[in-house]
Amino acid sequence: MEAYSGVHADLFDHLNHGRLEQYRSDVHALRSAWPSDTWDEEWDGPVSIHHDGSVLAIHLLP
């Protein structure tokens, strides 16, 4: 299995320079722009399933 992840360049720049609080703040501010379709009520986050079998599922951790 191979796994890849992508992140917006500005967010990656925060991580690359150790600005974790700025990264967290920006990610939370962008959350309202995420797709609203969810896998189920307990997951509470967007899920993307492609024809090639790849899956991306995102949700906030408690």
Side-chain angles (χ1 to χ4, degrees):
M1 176 174 109
E2 294 183 55
Y4 298 91
S5 178
V7 65
H8 189 275
D10 292 342
L11 296 175
F12 180 80
D13 193 49
H14 290 324
L15 291 175
N16 191 38
H17 290 94
R19 298 186 300 257
L20 297 180
E21 288 306 317
Q22 186 63 46
Y23 170 83
R24 288 182 185 119
S25 174
D26 287 1
V27 166
H28 282 274
L30 292 169
R31 185 169 189 244
S32 64
W34 292 355
S36 59
D37 292 341
T38 61
W39 182 254
D40 65 25
E41 292 303 317
E42 290 182 28
W43 180 253
D44 192 30
V47 176
S48 174
I49 303 173
H50 290 269
H51 295 291
D52 66 2
S54 61
V55 176
L56 173 65
I58 300 172
H59 74 141
L60 293 176
L61 295 175

